[in-house]
Amino acid sequence: MKQLSILSKIQNHMERFSPAEKKVAMYIMEHAELVPNMTTKDISKNAGASEASVVRFCKTIGIGSFKALKLTLVRELTIADMNINDFSIIEKKDTPFDLFNKVTYVNKAAVESTTATIDRKELEKAAEAMVKAKKILFYGVGGSAASALDACYKFTKLGYVSMMSHDFHMMIPLITNLEPNDVLVAISTSGRTKDVLEIVQFAKKKSATVIAITKLDPSSPLYKEADIKLCVPDVEQDHRIGSMASRMTQLNIIDALYLITFHQMGSSVIEKFHEAREEVVRLRR
């Protein structure tokens, strides 16, 4: 089974844990599939730590409660076990409706799992940067390009100079015209896509704020380069038939950023929304 994002998060927090919390962390990492069916008493007994340490451990990693930790593990274990997005799908005799249900469940679970990888402070920093920006560029390649296009459309509706291009060479002049306080949103689940990294490095030379929508992986180049990290769970295999659940997690974060920015801008954008809507209605006639 591949590494789960919640286990990666626990591993990344290892130096922050107290000795007792570290015992809990090690037990959970070694017995992840058993934890959803256990109580805090079970964990404390098997890990050799108090129940209070189990509760503190959950708070340290930002989960909040042991129940929430179990739910996160259940979702991620389900995503990892279904494997609907790798080539093993051809070995199963699923009906079209079976596959529809599996896709629906995995997409839903992937989006819900984002609550375990997103950092509240990073989200607040991203919202603040978006509100201050005059220009916002979005960039992603492959499946992530679709998310970038959706984001570009949404923020154009808010009145921003919002742009994206599928073409790397078309992005270069757009980056050239960035100024301090402008924002580049770089979208790459792996955090290792060469074209995305080149664009990010150029944007940083222009003193733009780089927001990365990427998986929680401190070793990835994009994670290291970004000023603000909005992390998504790692819900897909390297060898896959297409970007499915990962795209849903990207779109979920984009929708959240859009709504947060809309909320902070307040009534100033309402008139423009109505004007655009009226024009759309007129053109339908």
Side-chain angles (χ1 to χ4, degrees):
M1 180 182 294
K2 68 175 185 169
Q3 183 77 351
L4 305 181
S5 61
I6 186 60
L7 299 187
S8 296
K9 187 172 186 177
I10 292 171
Q11 180 65 50
N12 295 334
H13 278 71
M14 199 60 72
E15 296 303 317
R16 306 183 195 177
F17 295 138
S18 67
E21 290 172 348
K22 191 169 290 187
K23 290 181 180 179
V24 175
M26 294 303 297
Y27 181 82
I28 290 174
M29 292 185 67
E30 293 171 6
H31 305 88
E33 294 183 57
L34 302 178
V35 172
N37 297 314
M38 301 176 74
T39 64
T40 53
K41 186 175 182 179
D42 295 329
I43 296 290
S44 66
K45 179 180 179 180
N46 293 335
S50 67
E51 288 188 63
S53 296
V54 177
V55 174
R56 285 195 297 271
F57 160 82
C58 294
K59 292 181 178 178
T60 299
I61 60 171
I63 293 294
S65 70
F66 183 62
K67 180 180 179 181
L69 172 65
K70 292 200 294 183
L71 288 172
T72 300
L73 280 171
V74 167
R75 295 185 190 113
E76 295 193 14
L77 287 165
T78 301
I79 293 170
D81 288 341
M82 272 195 174
N83 289 330
I84 66 162
N85 204 21
D86 65 21
F87 299 112
S88 67
I89 194 71
I90 62 176
E91 300 170 4
K92 301 174 183 178
K93 296 181 179 180
D94 289 321
T95 68
F97 193 64
D98 289 336
L99 291 173
F100 167 78
N101 282 326
K102 286 186 176 182
V103 169
T104 300
Y105 182 86
V106 168
N107 282 342
K108 179 182 177 182
V111 169
E112 290 178 347
S113 295
T114 310
T115 59
T117 56
I118 201 78
D119 185 292
R120 181 179 297 184
K121 291 183 179 178
E122 291 291 287
L123 185 60
E124 291 172 353
K125 286 164 59 177
E128 182 179 355
M130 296 292 240
V131 170
K132 289 181 179 178
K134 292 182 179 179
K135 291 192 291 288
I136 303 177
L137 302 187
F138 298 90
Y139 188 60
V141 301
S144 297
S147 300
L149 180 60
D150 180 73
C152 183
Y153 168 67
K154 282 185 166 67
F155 278 85
T156 298
K157 290 172 66 177
L158 292 177
Y160 285 96
V161 177
S162 176
M163 295 172 283
M164 70 82 61
S165 175
H166 299 281
D167 189 321
F168 175 84
H169 294 281
M170 287 291 290
M171 284 296 296
I172 297 298
L174 296 179
I175 297 293
T176 301
N177 288 287
L178 287 177
E179 299 176 354
N181 286 335
D182 287 340
V183 169
L184 168 68
V185 179
I187 308 173
S188 169
T189 298
S190 70
R192 301 176 186 277
T193 306
K194 186 177 185 297
D195 284 3
V196 174
L197 295 172
E198 293 286 348
I199 290 295
V200 164
Q201 289 164 0
F202 188 24
K204 294 194 74 172
K205 289 180 182 179
K206 305 300 294 184
S207 299
T209 299
V210 175
I211 299 174
I213 299 178
T214 188
K215 71 179 180 181
L216 181 60
D217 179 8
S219 69
S220 84
L222 179 56
Y223 188 98
K224 292 177 181 178
E225 289 278 1
D227 300 303
I228 301 170
K229 295 98 171 166
L230 300 179
C231 295
V232 297
D234 184 12
V235 292
E236 290 178 356
Q237 305 286 347
D238 288 335
H239 301 286
R240 59 185 190 269
I241 58 176
S243 300
M244 296 183 189
S246 64
R247 188 182 70 255
M248 298 306 296
T249 62
Q250 293 169 356
L251 291 172
N252 185 56
I253 287 180
I254 288 164
D255 284 349
L257 284 175
Y258 171 67
L259 187 60
I260 291 166
T261 306
F262 182 93
H263 181 262
Q264 294 195 10
M265 294 178 76
S267 59
S268 62
V269 296
I270 297 296
E271 184 179 343
K272 296 295 184 183
F273 265 73
H274 287 319
E275 184 179 350
R277 176 62 182 171
E278 289 170 4
E279 189 65 13
V280 169
V281 171
R282 184 187 69 79
L283 292 172
R284 285 178 180 171
R285 296 172 184 168

